[in-house]
Structure formats: C-alpha cells, structure tokens
Amino acid sequence: MSPVYYVYIMASQRNGTTYIGVTNDLVRRAYEHRENLRPGFSARNRTKRLVYFEPYADVREAIKREKQMKKWNRAWKIELIERSNPQWRDLWFDLNR
C-alpha cells in the first residue's frame, strides 16, 4: 500500500479562522488540533474543526497544493470548503467511525 498524504483545512467555526496543513496521518493530526497539543497559530485561534481534506499519493504534490491554497484569498477557501461541506461539519467524526 502506498503512503497517503493529506492537505487539510481546520476551522474555528463556520466562516471563521482557517488553518491549512499537510500530514500523513489525518486522524492523529486533527486530534492534535482538537486538543491543542501543539502550540502555535492553530491553538491560539482555536481551529479545532476539520472541514476539508484532499488525499495525495505524492508528498511533493501535497506540499505544492498546500502552498497554493495558503496563497488563496478567503473567499476561495470558503468556496472550496462549502462545495463539499456546506454545513462546515466536523469531518473528524466521519474519520473515526
């Protein structure tokens, strides 16, 4: 089985502050955000809700996409989230079923 990497977006609330990151373990990383296990932007801004993610087989492609998304304006990020998650549900619960 080939490795899977994820570009993901965490949010503080609907239309709230967002954080974009890359990880190879989405469940663990989202849990770290939820529990404020790492200091920094996400902990300060309470971005605890996993609202979007994309899988990639190649870590370089995932990092390239993350950098691209971080340059986007806020409206584009919101549109991306709402296309697949219009209610801004916390997808972490779906991953842990």
Side-chain angles (χ1 to χ4, degrees):
M1 180 180 209
S2 60
V4 176
Y5 303 91
Y6 298 91
V7 176
Y8 64 93
I9 302 176
M10 303 293 294
S12 59
Q13 61 187 357
R14 184 181 189 130
N15 297 316
T17 303
T18 58
Y19 172 89
I20 299 172
V22 173
T23 185
N24 66 343
D25 187 341
L26 188 57
V27 172
R28 175 192 50 80
R29 189 66 184 108
Y31 178 80
E32 290 172 352
H33 283 282
R34 295 174 65 75
E35 300 300 321
N36 288 329
L37 297 179
R38 292 189 181 182
F41 177 89
S42 189
R44 282 192 311 275
N45 291 283
R46 296 184 177 97
T47 56
K48 298 181 177 193
R49 183 185 301 190
L50 176 64
V51 293
Y52 182 82
F53 63 90
E54 299 175 356
Y56 289 86
D58 184 333
V59 70
R60 292 168 299 207
E61 289 299 315
I63 292 168
K64 180 179 173 184
R65 176 68 164 160
E66 175 202 27
K67 288 179 179 182
Q68 176 190 52
M69 289 168 61
K70 283 185 173 186
K71 292 178 183 176
W72 286 4
N73 68 47
R74 181 170 178 73
W76 295 351
K77 294 172 192 175
I78 289 172
E79 182 182 328
L80 178 67
I81 294 164
E82 291 189 344
R83 240 184 280 144
S84 63
N85 187 3
Q87 301 303 316
W88 292 61
R89 289 182 317 104
D90 189 345
L91 304 175
W92 188 79
F93 294 105
D94 295 344
L95 297 174
N96 287 287
R97 286 188 178 168

